[in-house]
Amino acid sequence: MTGFNRIVILTGAGLSAESGLSTFRDKDGIWARYRIEDVATPEAFARNPTLVQDFYNARRKGARDVAPNAAHAALARLESDHPGNVLTVTQNIDPLHERAGSKNLIHMHGEILRALCAHCGGRTPWEDDLTADLDCGRCGRTGGMRPDVVWFGEMPYQMETIYAALADCDLFVSIGTSGNVYPAAGFVAEANAAGAHTVELNLEPSEGISHFAEAIHGKATEIVPAYVDRLLKG
Ligand code: BV8
């Protein structure tokens, strides 16, 4: 494998599955138990804030004490040991990449352990339940405190930075994502247009499998460390 210098990694819920966090579209996934329209859109929050807060309060509790797995650790090792630039863009809102040591990291769909004030846009670390009667520590107003996550119909974070990295990368690796949600599912096309080598590491072929030059299927804790070893051998 020739040396790559500018690597972009995209991760999804499948990376955290073996840490015990539910995925979205597996048969026992989150969207088998909840409807997106009821819990993951601004309209849902306006219509029934308690239902949305309860949905995220439960996921926040699950994310507080969860540990990264061997796949997260391998990606942190790649970032620290690879001579090139490694950027990890995650769709996940859990803190597992950070807990494994990744630093060059973008949470494009936000973070469950942060709160956002809908009134002033202030963000703050948040590990407890969010409720409608909380005051914002920055603007003092009440009723605007929501999870700092990107809902359907909202613009994901740091898209300019992500698209610039995709336009410049020579390797794009998509890990643990079904390729259903845009704009993330379109990143492989951007990487192909930049002339990058594109690889999918996933339990099973994703929706976007036809866009990848290479695919390795299996459990993340097995295939990701092995792939990182291959990259580090150069
Ligand atoms: C936007 C945060 C525009 C919250 C998430 C109609 C109306 C509005 C929008 C749209 C619409 N139609 C289309 C859209 C666009 C929409 C979209 O793509 N919808 C889909 C459903 C068709 N996208 C958006 O709305 C985005 N915003 O377009 O804004 C805009 C433009 C201008 C100005 C303003 C706005 C925002 C999308 C972000 C939504 N938020 N999450 C939360 O987490 O609750 S999305 C959610 O899905 C998560 O982030 C998740 O990460 C993401 C993708 O899911 P995956 O990570 O892929 O998880 P999944 O379960 O699907 O797959 C897991 C995979 O892992 C599987 O393949 C499985 O095989 C594999 N796996 C399982 N176990 C393992 C494994 N692999 C390896 N090892 C294992 N052990």
Side-chain angles (χ1 to χ4, degrees):
M1 170 178 300
T2 55
F4 296 105
N5 296 305
R6 298 174 308 286
I7 301 173
V8 175
I9 313 260
L10 172 69
T11 65
L15 192 81
S16 301
E18 290 164 87
S19 292
L21 293 180
S22 294
T23 63
F24 290 88
R25 293 168 186 84
D26 287 334
K27 63 186 178 331
D28 55 348
I30 291 172
W31 300 145
R33 287 172 272 142
Y34 294 88
R35 283 172 7 109
I36 288 176
E37 300 75 15
D38 293 340
V39 293
T41 67
E43 295 77 15
F45 188 59
R47 185 172 58 245
N48 190 339
T50 305
L51 175 66
V52 174
Q53 297 286 27
D54 289 351
F55 173 65
Y56 286 99
N57 289 341
R59 289 179 63 197
R60 189 176 300 103
K61 283 189 181 72
R64 262 205 300 253
D65 308 322
V66 71
N69 60 52
H72 297 102
L75 293 177
R77 179 161 55 89
L78 179 67
E79 179 188 313
S80 64
D81 297 355
H82 194 281
N85 182 281
V86 178
L87 170 66
T88 300
V89 179
T90 187
Q91 299 173 89
N92 301 337
I93 61 176
D94 65 53
L96 292 175
H97 280 299
E98 298 87 326
R99 288 182 182 168
S102 288
K103 306 240 182 308
N104 194 18
L105 174 67
I106 294 177
H107 276 277
M108 66 178 288
H109 291 163
E111 298 172 68
I112 189 66
L113 296 184
R114 290 161 71 89
L116 167 69
C117 173
H119 298 308
C120 72
R123 288 181 168 78
T124 180
W126 199 276
E127 299 224 349
D128 302 319
D129 282 0
L130 278 171
T131 54
D133 59 352
L134 288 166
D135 298 343
C136 169
R138 183 166 172 240
C139 72
R141 280 174 278 183
T142 306
M145 297 303 280
R146 55 168 278 188
D148 184 17
V149 300
V150 175
W151 283 325
F152 288 93
E154 295 185 323
M155 180 57 84
Y157 293 148
Q158 299 194 54
M159 290 307 294
E160 274 186 41
T161 305
I162 296 169
Y163 280 125
L166 290 168
D168 183 46
C169 74
D170 55 11
L171 176 64
F172 175 74
V173 189
S174 176
I175 306 175
T177 180
S178 63
N180 275 289
V181 174
Y182 288 85
F187 289 174
V188 60
E190 302 293 326
N192 279 324
H197 180 56
T198 52
V199 185
E200 167 175 287
L201 305 182
N202 204 50
L203 190 63
E204 60 200 6
S206 74
E207 291 291 311
I209 183 65
S210 61
H211 297 284
F212 289 91
E214 183 182 2
I216 303 167
H217 295 131
K219 290 170 68 173
T221 54
E222 292 162 14
I223 63 177
V224 176
Y227 187 71
V228 165
D229 289 344
R230 259 177 64 191
L231 284 179
L232 291 176
K233 283 199 181 76

